Amino acid sequence: AQSVTQPDIHITVSEGASLELRCNYSYGATPYLFWYVQSPGQGLQLLLKYFSGDTLVQGIKGFEAEFKRSQSSFNLRKPSVHWSDAAEYFCAVAGRGSSNTGKLIFGQGTTLQVKP
Amino acid sequence: AAGVIQSPRHLIKEKRETATLKCYPIPRHDTVYWYQQGPGQDPQFLISFYEKMQSDKGSIPDRFSAQQFSDYHSELNMSSLELGDSALYFCASSLGTVYNEQFFGPGTRLTVL
């Protein structure tokens, strides 16, 4: 079955510290991979995506993610966290190929808290 | 830039009532997706439409129905509401059949009392 796992439900980091949020997926073939951020009561904003090519992808707000096929992982990183980064982060996948309709399968989410 | 519009933003209903949620995609986007996000949960795919035809169906209860109209806006109709239907309902739109980025609306928060 297709699934996305975010092992860390809640992470707290100090402002200025580095951040890594983990994401593992289970899928028949390498899917499209995404990271979304959701502030309280808000919609989902795309941070970055991986379709093909370079396995290190850059996104908005200084985020990057690395796709590792051997580990079925797509971890999100940021070198220096800002207080405004506190939010819920979702990893998501979508299938490839003409038979896939683009529906997203989300992980459970990781809540990021930033300490001053 | 134009974004996805959802209305209403908040909706309070009683059990067994009906509700209609509306989604207006980004201009020229022809694909609409609906997701349901329960409290503290991840978004769950409900249903999608491409060019006014249903393209995929997820864990959508039989009490729910949806359609996409000629102007590409979509409506999610929910009948016999239950307490468990209380959630944030997101609409997202994208362009074309080859996968493209989904842009999410702000959501409709439905509360069933």
Side-chain angles (χ1 to χ4, degrees):
Chain A
Q2 304 154 357
S3 66
V4 179
T5 301
Q6 294 179 242
D8 305 304
I9 296 173
H10 193 110
I11 283 184
T12 300
V13 299
S14 298
E15 190 168 17
S18 64
L19 171 70
E20 182 170 28
L21 302 182
R22 296 182 291 164
C23 172
N24 294 94
Y25 65 88
S26 175
Y27 214 88
T30 301
Y32 298 123
L33 297 156
F34 308 83
W35 275 99
Y36 285 86
V37 60
Q38 183 180 32
S39 297
Q42 301 298 310
L44 294 152
Q45 182 182 22
L46 181 67
L47 286 176
L48 46 75
K49 60 183 182 253
Y50 173 77
F51 282 8
S52 64
D54 193 344
T55 57
L56 184 63
V57 295
Q58 302 296 320
I60 62 171
K61 305 185 180 186
F63 285 93
E64 66 177 27
E66 185 172 14
F67 166 59
K68 293 186 177 180
R69 185 191 305 273
S70 61
Q71 299 177 18
S72 296
S73 69
F74 188 56
N75 294 348
L76 181 71
R77 300 195 293 249
K78 187 169 185 178
S80 178
V81 169
H82 188 262
W83 64 267
S84 61
D85 293 324
E88 184 89 11
Y89 290 79
F90 290 97
C91 181
V93 302
R96 297 176 182 264
S98 57
S99 63
N100 289 290
T101 57
K103 70 179 180 187
L104 293 168
I105 299 171
F106 288 88
Q108 304 91 323
T110 297
T111 301
L112 173 65
Q113 184 179 2
V114 180
K115 294 190 302 184
Chain B
V4 177
I5 297 172
Q6 290 187 247
S7 67
R9 293 292 309 277
H10 300 272
L11 190 58
I12 300 175
K13 291 286 185 179
E14 299 278 344
K15 281 172 52 179
R16 292 180 288 279
E17 285 190 323
T18 62
T20 298
L21 279 53
K22 297 184 179 183
C23 170
Y24 298 88
I26 291 172
R28 292 186 296 280
H29 280 193
D30 50 17
T31 306
V32 167
Y33 302 85
W34 285 96
Y35 296 87
Q36 177 192 58
Q37 185 179 29
Q41 303 295 314
D42 56 291
Q44 295 287 318
F45 170 73
L46 292 177
I47 195 166
S48 63
F49 294 89
Y50 166 68
E51 282 291 347
K52 293 152 280 186
M53 298 288 289
Q54 181 181 309
S55 56
D56 204 347
K57 193 172 181 180
S59 50
I60 183 170
D62 291 340
R63 298 178 289 108
F64 293 7
S65 64
Q67 63 182 105
Q68 186 178 32
F69 294 86
S70 58
D71 63 351
Y72 295 103
H73 94 273
S74 178
E75 295 184 5
L76 178 66
N77 298 292
M78 311 160 71
S79 63
S80 302
L81 287 169
E82 302 174 356
L83 296 178
D85 297 328
S86 295
L88 194 55
Y89 291 83
F90 287 110
C91 168
S93 74
S94 68
L95 178 64
T97 54
V98 177
Y99 187 78
N100 284 299
E101 176 182 347
Q102 291 182 30
F103 293 84
F104 281 79
T108 294
R109 182 166 297 283
L110 172 66
T111 302
V112 182
L113 302 175

